[in-house]
Amino acid sequence: MSRIKEFNLPDLGEGLTEGEILAWLVKVGDVIELNQPIVEVETAKAAVEIPAKWAGQVQAIFHPEGTTVEVGTPIIAIDTDPGAGPIEQSTTGAPASALPTPSAASLAAVEVAPAEGAVEPGLIGGPAPGGRTAVLVGYGPRTTAAKRRPRKGAVPTQASAAPVQAAPVPVAPAPVAPVAPVSPPAANGNGRAGGLVLAKPPVRKLAKDLGVDLSTLTGSGPLGSITREDVQRAAEGTSSAAEPLTVAAPATSAASFGADREQRIPVKGVRKLTAENMSRSAFTAPHVTEFLTVDVTRAMKALDRLRERREWRDVRVSPLLLVAKAVLLAVKRHPMVNSTWAGDEIVVKDYVNLGIAAATERGLIVPNIKDAGRLSLRELADAMTGLVQTAKAGKTSPADMSGGTLTITNVGVFGVDTGTPILPPGESAILAFGAVREMPWVHKGKVKPRQVTTLGLSFDHRIIDGELGSKFLRDIGDFLADPEAALLAWT
């Protein structure tokens, strides 16, 4: 049995097909233990550390950090019995085809000689023992002179062992001075010989109409191309005639809108999954969004009283906690909201896996609190705090982001009043919680400053009709307007 075992990227759950290597936690030559974390991989749902399947010594790492690897692809090789001595390899005398393929580690260890200057011994292209040249197997300098097929009508010549001295050959091209009225082809303002000018057909037509010779202009567009502005300046007499190619100063150059002023960001990981889910949901479930503005002054005062209680002093208490409690109580009154469309049937769930949308450096993720309806207010507060801290640390597991049934997105933390959120796939409702602001409000017949917020509820109209969605949103608003009265009335 081979001592060298290749460890393949495993399926980390939910049928994931690929992952990006964020960081290697080991290097070639390290001795590792069983279940020791060896690599951090970002999947479409989370960043996770993968443990080693065997103990031993790292022999090769096949993919560098930042590489996206498909599930089932080998990512590392481990010698499971490093104490048994060196690994046997092919020796001299074997044909090149029988030699083992160089490992990624050995290739990475080979230094490449500099492009200029003397080549040090041992580097690729440099001298090696015995007068040979250091090269990789299958690569290297030719041992015979290059042969060309003679042209038709050409007289074959014999190769000379010594350099030909009859006709001196210039080492570098030099400017050719004209000796006759007819000058040789010269470089135009774009540095291109033979009159070749980069310009689009509309620009060429404009130059013809204005009587401008394009070969005398210096282009300011991408790759030195001539733009309409260049032609217009030349027509007005502001463009200089044939000049050597120079770098135009930023103050006088025309604005460029090419690729050099664009940034291309690969779509992968969380961003790729989010895009796929949002597109599928937006064009599958018929969305309806309703809004409700609520006076939450009493709810804010209730939070202040809660923070003052001895048993709550070390607990993170925020308005989102009361919103989550309001949603859970409203679901009990309207269970159809917590359901899934399954084609020929609607699946109504007696449990609420409450998702809390979280913005992280890796993108938007929606971990959920499992069976949140069974938790007390204190347990719900602790669960929400742990969920947010884990998400910000980038340690949310795929299991924590699967199985959600209903979601809250707190756009108020960004100073936004509300929004029209898109349903996560498989869910029938999502609530947007806006910023709490002090605003003029009619209270007991008088206009007074009150704490006000706006809620936005999006729901799947295949399951939830307008009446059900409106009652569900109204109940959430009633709880936030007067939490104590709602608890007494509903529980």
Side-chain angles (χ1 to χ4, degrees), residues 66 100 117 164 247 302 309 341 389 447 458 464:
V164 178
V247 179
R309 297 186 65 87
W341 180 268
Q389 291 177 347
V447 177
S458 293
I464 304 172

Side-chain angles (χ1 to χ4, degrees), residues 273-288 341 407 420-430 458-462:
L273 179 67
T274 301
E276 293 173 352
N277 287 344
M278 294 299 98
S279 298
R280 184 169 67 252
S281 177
F283 295 103
T284 301
H287 284 57
V288 173
W341 180 268
T407 296
T420 56
I422 297 178
L423 294 167
E427 300 183 19
S428 60
I430 179 173
S458 293
F459 52 86
D460 187 342
H461 215 348
R462 297 174 300 180

Side-chain angles (χ1 to χ4, degrees), residues 64-79:
E65 295 177 357
T67 304
T68 299
V69 182
E70 294 184 358
V71 170
T73 302
I75 58 175
I76 190 173
I78 300 174
D79 182 358

Side-chain angles (χ1 to χ4, degrees), residues 123-410:
L123 300 186
I124 294 177
R132 296 175 288 112
T133 302
V135 296
L136 295 178
V137 175
Y139 298 86
R142 295 177 181 266
T143 58
T144 59
K147 297 181 179 180
R148 296 178 180 270
R149 184 170 55 189
R151 298 178 182 175
K152 292 184 178 180
V155 178
T157 58
Q158 297 292 331
S160 175
V164 178
Q165 301 293 337
V169 179
V171 176
V176 179
V179 295
V182 180
S183 60
N188 57 30
N190 295 280
R192 299 178 181 272
L196 179 61
V197 175
L198 287 180
K200 296 181 178 180
V203 177
R204 293 180 182 273
K205 183 178 184 304
L206 177 64
K208 182 178 179 180
D209 295 341
L210 298 179
V212 176
D213 185 359
L214 293 178
S215 64
T216 64
L217 303 184
T218 298
S220 61
L223 300 176
S225 61
I226 296 176
T227 64
R228 295 180 61 90
E229 290 76 12
D230 297 332
V231 175
Q232 291 169 348
R233 282 199 301 268
E236 295 171 0
T238 59
S239 175
S240 59
E243 294 178 352
L245 179 62
T246 57
V247 179
T252 60
S253 63
S256 172
F257 303 99
D260 57 330
R261 296 180 64 189
E262 298 175 348
Q263 181 184 12
R264 295 182 179 271
I265 302 175
V267 179
K268 56 186 178 181
V270 173
R271 175 60 57 195
K272 183 177 181 179
L273 179 67
T274 301
E276 293 173 352
N277 287 344
M278 294 299 98
S279 298
R280 184 169 67 252
S281 177
F283 295 103
T284 301
H287 284 57
V288 173
T289 305
E290 293 185 336
F291 305 96
L292 179 65
T293 303
V294 185
D295 176 6
V296 294
T297 305
R298 291 183 178 178
M300 297 301 102
K301 292 180 178 179
L303 285 178
D304 291 337
R305 293 194 299 271
L306 190 62
R307 294 186 185 101
E308 294 174 355
R309 297 186 65 87
R310 186 185 308 107
E311 60 271 28
W312 281 81
R313 289 177 182 174
D314 297 330
V315 181
R316 186 176 184 275
V317 178
S318 69
L320 183 60
L321 175 62
L322 287 187
V323 174
K325 188 64 176 179
V327 168
L328 294 173
L329 290 176
V331 167
K332 291 183 178 180
R333 293 167 56 83
H334 309 283
M336 182 65 74
V337 172
N338 188 49
S339 58
T340 298
W341 180 268
D344 56 353
E345 60 184 1
I346 297 174
V347 181
V348 182
K349 301 171 182 178
D350 293 334
Y351 57 90
V352 180
N353 292 341
L354 184 63
I356 305 294
T360 69
E361 293 182 356
R362 297 171 49 248
L364 175 68
I365 63 174
V366 188
N368 60 79
I369 302 171
K370 299 294 190 283
D371 212 358
R374 294 180 178 271
L375 302 180
S376 65
L377 188 63
R378 172 61 186 269
E379 291 171 337
L380 183 62
D382 292 339
M384 292 176 62
T385 300
L387 179 146
V388 173
Q389 291 177 347
T390 302
K392 289 184 176 180
K395 301 298 182 182
T396 304
S397 67
D400 290 336
M401 290 189 287
S402 61
T405 64
L406 197 149
T407 296
I408 301 173
T409 175
N410 184 12

